[in-house]
Amino acid sequence: MKLDTFDRRILNLVQEDASLTGEKLSESVALSVSAIQRRIRRLHEAGVIQRNVSIVDPQHAGRPTFFVVALQIERERPELLAQLRRWLANEPQVQQAFYVTGEADFVLIVTAPDTASYDELMSRMVRDNANIRHFTTNVALGVIKRGLAIPIAIDGID
């Protein structure tokens, strides 16, 4: 799908605040409310906008601790990779999972209320996925920035 300047402006705005009304978006983008709504519907249908979510404060949700995990696997057999990918995708404590190059095969961002809960999760992961060779953990001492917004240049050029 080709994005024009209006689409790009809309995407930047809704990534910042998905609760903006058509009227508010219309003021910023200089399109009618109905045109904004049609564009947002089209962006959803095309898969450009995948979901609308609320960002919850981890402290208030009882999940103040973040862990960055580098995971190594034994074998890259397709069925074993598929099993691990499904496990990671279905585990709520795994916020993000990346299949990467380098020494690690996967990098995970995990949230937990404390280290004991994290340890239980990792024990379960290793028990359920015999293909895991090794993992290392970094505990986040503080969060400088946390987000998923994709920077979108208005003119289409970064």
Side-chain angles (χ1 to χ4, degrees):
M1 173 179 181
K2 183 81 170 141
L3 301 176
D4 65 16
T5 301
F6 293 114
D7 294 328
R8 292 171 178 281
R9 285 186 177 138
I10 291 168
L11 288 170
N12 280 322
L13 290 166
V14 298
Q15 283 188 101
E16 188 65 32
D17 184 356
S19 70
L20 288 173
T21 63
E23 290 80 15
K24 287 286 185 191
L25 289 168
S26 177
E27 293 170 12
S28 298
V29 179
L31 287 173
S32 70
V33 173
S34 60
I36 296 281
Q37 292 168 339
R38 279 192 305 274
R39 283 173 179 269
I40 289 175
R41 185 174 45 253
R42 184 174 46 87
L43 291 164
H44 273 282
E45 289 168 357
V48 175
I49 298 175
Q50 295 179 339
R51 293 181 292 164
N52 295 322
V53 299
S54 295
I55 298 171
V56 176
D57 182 320
Q59 287 289 123
H60 287 98
R63 300 262 175 193
T65 312
F66 289 92
F67 303 86
V68 180
V69 182
L71 183 65
Q72 293 178 341
I73 58 173
E74 288 287 339
R75 296 170 297 285
E76 296 212 25
R77 291 189 5 219
E79 69 277 8
L80 296 174
L81 283 173
Q83 175 190 345
L84 178 58
R85 284 181 170 135
R86 277 191 305 276
W87 194 96
L88 294 171
N90 290 323
E91 177 51 54
Q93 291 185 91
V94 177
Q95 285 196 320
Q96 298 178 46
F98 301 94
Y99 186 46
V100 298
T101 62
E103 288 196 30
D105 297 298
F106 291 87
V107 173
L108 314 176
I109 306 299
V110 176
T111 183
D114 52 43
T115 54
S117 296
Y118 170 76
D119 188 46
E120 189 281 321
L121 169 73
M122 298 311 284
S123 295
R124 191 165 37 87
M125 182 182 71
V126 170
R127 183 182 64 243
D128 293 350
N129 296 278
N131 194 33
I132 294 173
R133 176 188 310 159
H134 175 75
F135 68 89
T136 59
T137 304
N138 292 298
V139 179
L141 299 176
V143 178
I144 309 306
K145 180 178 181 179
R146 185 172 76 101
L148 294 175
I150 304 297
I152 301 173
I154 298 300
D155 58 10
I157 301 169
D158 286 326

